[in-house]
Amino acid sequence: MSTDGTAMVAQPSPMMGIAQPPLGMRQPHPSPAPMAPHPAAGGENKVLDKRRLQELVKEVDPLEQLDDDVEEVLLQVADDFIDSIVNSACQIAKHRKSTTLEVKDVQLHLERNWNMWIPGFGSDELRPYKKACSTEAHKQRMALIRKTLKKY
């Protein structure tokens, strides 16, 4: 909810078709030329359209063809995934008491909820280095090795 009691809704962005956070969380920037709208989107900009989806499928398997229903489902799943990530990242930014959605907000959500790490964006300071868990058998072997090394 915003300060005036209205619900905050992510708005589509002309920039690569990515949904932007609510107005109160946007940082002003010049707008690039908008992408061509998705034919079935009713004028909305999409990150993934049918043509791009077909190109991705051809990269994986040049002989593969997708049914129209499958294409629609995959496009809907991609849109839902992006909406979910943007909304959650906005909540993280709001929790930080920030009015700007940052890369680290998206990274945090992707890593914590989807176990995904996208290299090349931001810094590695967010990525925790998890200590490998060791089994009891491993601990016993290591103790035996240390004991053996002490003898020499």
Side-chain angles (χ1 to χ4, degrees), residues 57-118:
V57 169
K58 295 289 185 208
E59 285 180 25
V60 175
D61 184 0
L63 302 177
E64 188 64 41
Q65 293 290 324
L66 297 179
D67 290 339
D68 288 340
D69 292 340
V70 173
E71 283 180 353
E72 289 300 322
V73 169
L74 288 175
L75 292 170
Q76 185 61 44
V77 168
D79 286 341
D80 292 345
F81 179 71
I82 291 167
D83 286 343
S84 166
I85 289 171
V86 170
N87 287 330
S88 297
C90 286
Q91 289 175 349
I92 292 169
K94 188 175 180 180
H95 180 73
R96 290 188 299 111
K97 297 182 178 20
S98 174
T99 58
T100 305
L101 182 62
E102 296 179 9
V103 171
K104 65 183 178 180
D105 302 320
V106 177
Q107 281 181 330
L108 183 62
H109 173 73
L110 286 175
E111 185 161 4
R112 296 274 169 91
N113 296 315
W114 293 94
N115 199 25
M116 292 172 66
W117 180 258
I118 311 299

Side-chain angles (χ1 to χ4, degrees), residues 130-148:
K130 297 176 184 173
K131 184 178 180 183
C133 61
S134 56
T135 63
E136 190 60 37
H138 177 71
K139 291 177 185 176
Q140 290 174 353
R141 286 191 297 268
M142 292 304 294
L144 182 61
I145 290 169
R146 286 188 204 101
K147 184 177 176 183
T148 306

Side-chain angles (χ1 to χ4, degrees), residues 36-46 48-50 72 75:
H38 186 278
E44 286 184 33
N45 292 325
K46 300 286 183 173
L48 185 63
D49 60 5
K50 284 187 178 187
E72 289 300 322
L75 292 170

